[in-house]
Amino acid sequence: MERARALPSRRQLLKGAAVAAVPYALLPATQAGAEPRAVDYPSAEWTAASTSNYTASSRPSSYPLDYVVIHVTQETYPTTLDIFRNPQKGVSAHYVVRSADGHVAQCVRERDIAWHAGNWDYNTRSIGIEHEGWVDQPAYFTDALYEESARLTAAICAQYGIPKDRAHIIGHYEVPGTDHTDPGPNWDWVRYIRLVNFA
């Protein structure tokens, strides 16, 4: 007569499953052919723009970085990210800052040229930061948005030796040839530059 084989205990099953899963847990969570999720700003979330909406480059060796351009989306945060992912739109920025909590999404690597300024020369020499909101609705310019954006801008300036002043941290409306008005009259430049310098 054959002896009945003992069934493994629940604990043995869980231990076995854990051991089997270890090699997979150590692998990066990217799919084959997926774009790398590395970010230039450590607290940013990678949310890639369509490769049809920016120009690959090797800045600052290919072009010097001289400016940070401040934008206001005139859209919601999720809609802005959708626009940047849409290959038909032909627009992107390096970063988008959410109004409610200052959360930052990086959409284009800093080494690449985002299409944000409407002026090729300025695109090649700048980092573009979009801020969720509308120029005529100052409630979107929250403390969290100002503070996190200022930390981001300070990090960019430190990385590339960009002076932390109004000659180098400019509004979209200051780009030659633009027809845009952002960030608009409700953007507090004095506060923002102070925050950048103290970040």
Side-chain angles (χ1 to χ4, degrees):
M1 184 169 183
E2 205 174 283
R3 271 170 67 180
R5 202 166 137 188
L7 293 173
S9 71
R10 182 174 183 271
R11 182 177 179 158
Q12 289 170 321
L13 285 172
L14 291 174
K15 282 174 75 176
V19 169
V22 166
Y24 298 102
L26 297 175
L27 292 174
T30 56
Q31 299 171 357
E35 200 170 326
R37 295 178 183 255
V39 292
D40 297 299
Y41 183 62
S43 63
E45 169 190 4
W46 179 247
T47 308
S50 168
T51 56
S52 299
N53 294 339
Y54 65 89
T55 302
S57 189
S58 58
R59 302 182 315 166
S61 59
S62 56
Y63 298 95
L65 283 164
D66 302 319
Y67 301 103
V68 176
V69 179
I70 302 300
H71 301 269
V72 172
T73 61
Q74 298 295 107
E75 294 287 351
T76 65
Y77 176 87
T79 300
T80 301
L81 297 178
D82 287 344
I83 289 168
F84 292 171
R85 286 189 289 248
N86 182 339
Q88 303 302 313
K89 293 295 185 178
V91 65
S92 63
H94 294 92
Y95 296 98
V96 182
V97 183
R98 190 164 56 204
S99 172
D101 57 5
H103 179 76
V104 176
Q106 182 170 1
C107 304
V108 177
R109 294 296 304 269
E110 292 174 4
R111 68 180 177 230
D112 295 327
I113 302 165
W115 300 346
H116 63 96
N119 174 313
W120 178 249
D121 182 48
Y122 275 71
N123 280 344
T124 63
R125 298 187 294 133
S126 66
I127 301 291
I129 305 175
E130 288 279 1
H131 297 83
E132 179 184 26
W134 283 262
V135 297
D136 59 348
Q137 297 181 37
Y140 276 92
F141 305 150
T142 63
D143 291 343
L145 177 136
Y146 273 119
E147 291 164 9
E148 190 54 42
S149 176
R151 282 191 283 273
L152 170 60
T153 295
I156 292 166
C157 290
Q159 175 70 27
Y160 302 106
I162 300 170
K164 297 176 184 177
D165 60 28
R166 280 290 284 121
H168 297 89
I169 302 169
I170 64 173
H172 192 180
Y173 73 94
E174 296 172 282
V175 173
T178 188
D179 61 355
H180 287 252
T181 62
D182 58 311
N186 294 305
W187 184 262
D188 188 340
W189 280 108
V190 172
R191 176 185 183 191
Y192 189 68
I193 296 299
R194 184 179 299 128
L195 286 168
V196 170
N197 279 280
F198 286 110

